[in-house]
Amino acid sequence: GAGVSQSPSNKVTEKGKDVELRCDPISGHTALYWYRQSLGQGLEFLIYFQGNSAPDKSGLPSDRFSAERTGGSVSTLTIQRTQQEDSAVYLCASSLVGTRSEKLFFGSGTQLSVL
Amino acid sequence: DQQVKQNSPSLSVQEGRISILNCDYTNSMFDYFLWYKKYPAEGPTFLISISSIKDKNEDGRFTVFLNKSAKHLSLHIVPSQPGDSAVYFCAASGFMSSNTGKLIFGQGTTLQVKP
């Protein structure tokens, strides 16, 4: 497809379970970002990948959160031992090379609900 | 510590009138500002941006004004149309983000344009 694709669109899980969220960026985009939006909050930066460089993990809220990007394309965000406060919309974005003046292209997000 | 603040959660205007959305920031290192628009169940889409070397940027019906001394920016939409009804996010980046597109977002303002 032409845009950023995220799956699943909705995920309901029980507290303590692990979840995996997937992001397929725009073809050719080397920069990939994960953000999350909790209810009533703005978008919160989680992690940034750029090419083969080490990812910027400075936004990950705890060590239960991890992400990887395989082959410079698809990315997976994993949340282990989910907690109710993890409930949010998780948004993935990509850009061509990752400079500050570039616009980000966002996917539609994954709505995660932890019961 | 909310570095980018949108103090009005919602705004309602009549079709054809001007919509003014406001955003304040606290970090003087921010030097690039963007507005994103988000419809329900979709990811945010880029709307307009401004560099700190400018105080105004215009794109069709959308104009962003930047007041660096007040650490304030605003988005003007004129004339407003019902299709403009969406959540608007203000975002900022600065030198501390290195050369990445890592953005700090505000909480968003929901704009409703009434026919």
Side-chain angles (χ1 to χ4, degrees):
Chain A
V4 176
S5 177
Q6 290 187 248
S7 62
S9 55
N10 282 282
K11 177 71 177 179
V12 180
T13 190
E14 293 179 353
K15 177 181 173 181
K17 301 281 189 182
D18 297 352
V19 295
E20 284 190 354
L21 312 180
R22 177 189 167 102
C23 173
D24 203 340
I26 292 173
S27 178
H29 280 194
T30 62
L32 185 147
Y33 306 79
W34 283 98
Y35 285 83
R36 75 174 176 181
Q37 185 184 12
S38 303
L39 194 62
Q41 303 296 314
L43 280 70
E44 174 191 8
F45 168 79
L46 297 177
I47 189 168
Y48 160 70
F49 295 91
Q50 167 50 272
N52 296 320
S53 302
D56 178 347
K57 304 178 182 181
S58 59
L60 294 178
S62 77
D63 59 8
R64 297 186 295 104
F65 288 71
S66 63
E68 62 177 24
R69 188 179 185 190
T70 53
S73 180
V74 172
S75 176
T76 303
L77 177 69
T78 300
I79 309 173
Q80 295 179 310
R81 306 180 302 282
T82 52
Q83 303 294 313
Q84 288 182 334
E85 61 262 27
D86 299 334
S87 297
V89 177
Y90 288 80
L91 291 157
C92 176
S94 69
S95 65
L96 194 58
V97 293
T99 60
R100 294 197 294 122
S101 60
E102 286 184 312
K103 60 178 111 174
L104 303 185
F105 293 84
F106 283 87
S108 299
T110 294
Q111 173 73 63
L112 175 65
S113 300
V114 181
L115 305 180
Chain B
D1 178 24
Q2 194 76 28
Q3 297 186 69
V4 177
K5 299 178 184 179
Q6 294 176 255
N7 292 317
S8 296
S10 63
L11 174 68
S12 181
V13 300
Q14 208 64 37
E15 181 179 6
R17 299 291 185 99
I18 185 171
S19 296
I20 300 176
L21 296 96
N22 294 303
C23 177
D24 297 295
Y25 60 96
T26 57
N27 195 329
S28 57
M29 297 292 287
F30 288 145
D31 64 351
Y32 195 72
F33 304 89
L34 309 92
W35 286 91
Y36 281 79
K37 179 170 74 173
K38 185 181 185 301
Y39 293 117
E42 295 183 11
T45 55
F46 171 79
L47 191 56
I48 193 169
S49 63
I50 188 167
S51 165
S52 61
I53 62 174
K54 295 185 174 183
D55 54 19
K56 176 183 174 181
N57 189 25
E58 189 173 353
D59 183 2
R61 297 185 297 114
F62 302 91
T63 303
V64 56
F65 296 91
L66 175 62
N67 182 334
K68 289 187 291 294
S69 61
K71 294 190 178 68
H72 176 84
L73 64 156
S74 61
L75 173 68
H76 292 210
I77 307 172
V78 57
S80 302
Q81 299 174 354
D84 296 330
S85 298
V87 179
Y88 288 79
F89 290 99
C90 170
S93 70
F95 292 113
M96 64 286 192
S97 304
S98 183
N99 196 35
T100 75
K102 187 168 82 176
L103 301 174
I104 308 298
F105 283 85
Q107 310 96 306
T109 296
T110 300
L111 173 66
Q112 182 185 29
V113 180
K114 297 180 178 178

